[in-house]
Amino acid sequence: MSLKDVPVTAAVDPIDAAGDESRPRLARRLLRSRVASISALLVILFAVFSITQDNFLTYNNLMLLLLNVAMLFVVSIGLTFVLLVGGFDLSIGALLGLSGFVLAFLYNSLQLNILLAIGLTVVFGAVVGGMTNGFLIGRLKLSFMIVTLGTMTLFMGLIKLVSGGQTVTIPSTFLVDEFSFGKILGIPIPVLGSIAVFALAAYVLKYTLFGRDVYAVGGNPKAAGLSGINVAWTVVAVYAIAGAAAAFGGVIAASRTGSAGPTVGDAIMLQAAAAVLIGGTSLRGGSGTVLGTAIGVLFFGVLSNGLQMAGFGTEWQQIIGGIIIAGAALADKVQRDGWASLALHWPSLRSQK
């Protein structure tokens, strides 16, 4: 079937199934509003901790804050691509942990140059993410929740198999001294790496045809396919991007400790999901930005750093983070369906019985 045979109502705008141009514009306005709201909260939080904590607004603490969120930053950028096509990836934390052991194998056993080992580790993440999650979800149309739950379990099993539950040292002075703690213009190298990932992702989503395809597939995959977009390939590609981001996150984690650990990525998936959601990316796809994700990561970084300096334990960070995630999910529903969608129509429910 050629494009000439496609009904006009189906080919007007691949992002908007109904062809109503006002809906995408409204979604963009609501997205900007959510990003503006979390940005305002970030500024307020930053100001409160700057006033109440003497050492918060110092160069060393701010660099430590950015260094601590570098791994989360990279992983969250990768997850943003997945959510934009309407998917999710439960396996990114397990893949991050597995990538650390891949790096250790390449450097310790194969004795490759550490830079080559780092590059191959990132490629490993991209290939695994694309060939497992991407292929099964994009080409075979399987449920992303079932697939990524399965690959998460698979990767966790592989971690236990190759590690025996033990931490593996990576004795590279470059990895620990130069990559992790080295600085360029006073900025830690992992922070610069995360900034580079952000800039590349922002450019791809805003200025390339692939970025347009990502938003179109997330908005309406059927209409995107009718408009000539290879939906399956786009889905494979975003899961490959998420895999590469997870692997790079594993490299950053390994550089911080000089080792690969079996529990390194256990909590990163939930943290990344929280950052992406409060940054305005929709759970249903088609709406969101990496700028919003960056602000979401910084929000959690400032919150964690400030609470630690104030003497609060991690349990308070989890409680506050959970409340914020629930609020982000609520905001996402309101953004898509309006406030009326929250009304409970008990009479109609009873009548259905």
Side-chain angles (χ1 to χ4, degrees):
M1 182 174 62
S2 66
L3 288 178
K4 294 180 180 179
D5 300 321
V6 178
V8 174
T9 56
V12 174
D13 188 348
I15 297 179
D16 184 19
D20 181 1
E21 296 181 358
S22 65
R23 288 176 58 189
R25 287 200 298 268
L26 177 60
R28 286 192 290 269
R29 287 198 298 270
L30 290 171
L31 173 61
R32 286 194 293 267
S33 176
R34 288 178 61 182
V35 173
S37 298
I38 192 62
S39 299
L41 287 175
L42 175 60
V43 171
I44 293 172
L45 196 64
F46 194 89
V48 169
F49 286 135
S50 298
I51 294 171
T52 59
Q53 306 300 320
D54 293 337
N55 296 324
F56 180 81
L57 199 61
T58 62
Y59 168 80
N60 288 335
N61 184 62
L62 293 179
M63 287 300 104
L64 178 63
L65 188 158
L66 293 175
L67 190 59
N68 286 340
V69 300
M71 178 178 69
L72 175 61
F73 196 102
V74 171
V75 175
S76 299
I77 293 296
L79 186 60
T80 301
F81 277 83
V82 175
L83 263 69
L84 284 175
V85 296
F88 198 80
D89 191 350
L90 296 170
S91 69
I92 52 175
L95 183 55
L96 183 150
L98 181 61
S99 297
F101 288 99
V102 170
L103 177 63
F105 172 76
L106 293 173
Y107 183 77
N108 295 347
S109 300
L110 299 186
Q111 298 183 344
L112 297 181
N113 175 275
I114 188 61
L115 290 177
L116 178 59
I118 290 173
L120 290 177
T121 299
V122 175
V123 172
F124 163 81
V127 171
V128 169
M131 294 301 293
T132 56
N133 295 332
F135 179 80
L136 294 174
I137 297 168
R139 297 292 299 177
L140 301 186
K141 310 300 181 184
L142 302 182
S143 165
F144 62 82
M145 294 299 290
I146 300 300
V147 169
T148 59
L149 178 62
T151 53
M152 177 186 71
T153 306
L154 170 64
F155 299 152
M156 290 174 65
L158 289 174
I159 290 174
K160 293 179 180 178
L161 180 65
V162 301
S163 70
Q166 302 296 317
T167 297
V168 176
T169 302
I170 306 175
S172 168
T173 54
F174 173 84
L175 183 67
V176 177
D177 297 335
E178 300 298 327
F179 183 84
S180 181
F181 295 101
K183 296 180 180 180
I184 298 177
L185 300 177
I187 302 176
I189 290 177
V191 175
L192 291 175
S194 63
I195 293 173
V197 170
F198 165 77
L200 178 61
Y203 176 83
V204 167
L205 287 176
K206 188 172 180 62
Y207 296 108
T208 68
L209 292 177
F210 174 72
R212 180 209 64 181
D213 293 349
V214 168
Y215 282 105
V217 170
N220 190 311
K222 290 184 179 180
L226 290 173
S227 66
I229 295 172
N230 190 326
V231 175
W233 157 246
T234 303
V235 173
V236 170
V238 298
Y239 278 99
I241 290 171
F248 188 43
V251 171
I252 295 175
S255 72
R256 298 295 305 277
T257 61
S259 63
T263 61
V264 169
D266 285 357
I268 195 69
M269 185 271 292
L270 292 177
Q271 295 172 353
V276 175
L277 288 176
I278 70 169
T281 299
S282 174
L283 283 168
R284 304 185 192 181
S287 177
T289 64
V290 291
L291 175 60
T293 296
I295 295 171
V297 171
L298 290 176
F299 180 87
F300 278 108
V302 170
L303 178 66
S304 176
N305 182 273
L307 289 178
Q308 286 179 359
M309 295 188 71
F312 290 92
T314 56
E315 64 274 9
W316 282 104
Q317 300 173 35
Q318 293 173 342
I319 290 172
I320 296 174
I323 294 173
I324 293 172
I325 294 172
L330 178 64
D332 179 62
K333 182 172 181 59
V334 172
Q335 175 180 324
R336 284 285 184 168
D337 302 328
W339 287 104
S341 64
L342 302 181
L344 296 177
H345 303 290
W346 294 108
S348 61
L349 289 176
R350 285 196 296 268
S351 63
Q352 291 176 5
K353 294 180 181 180

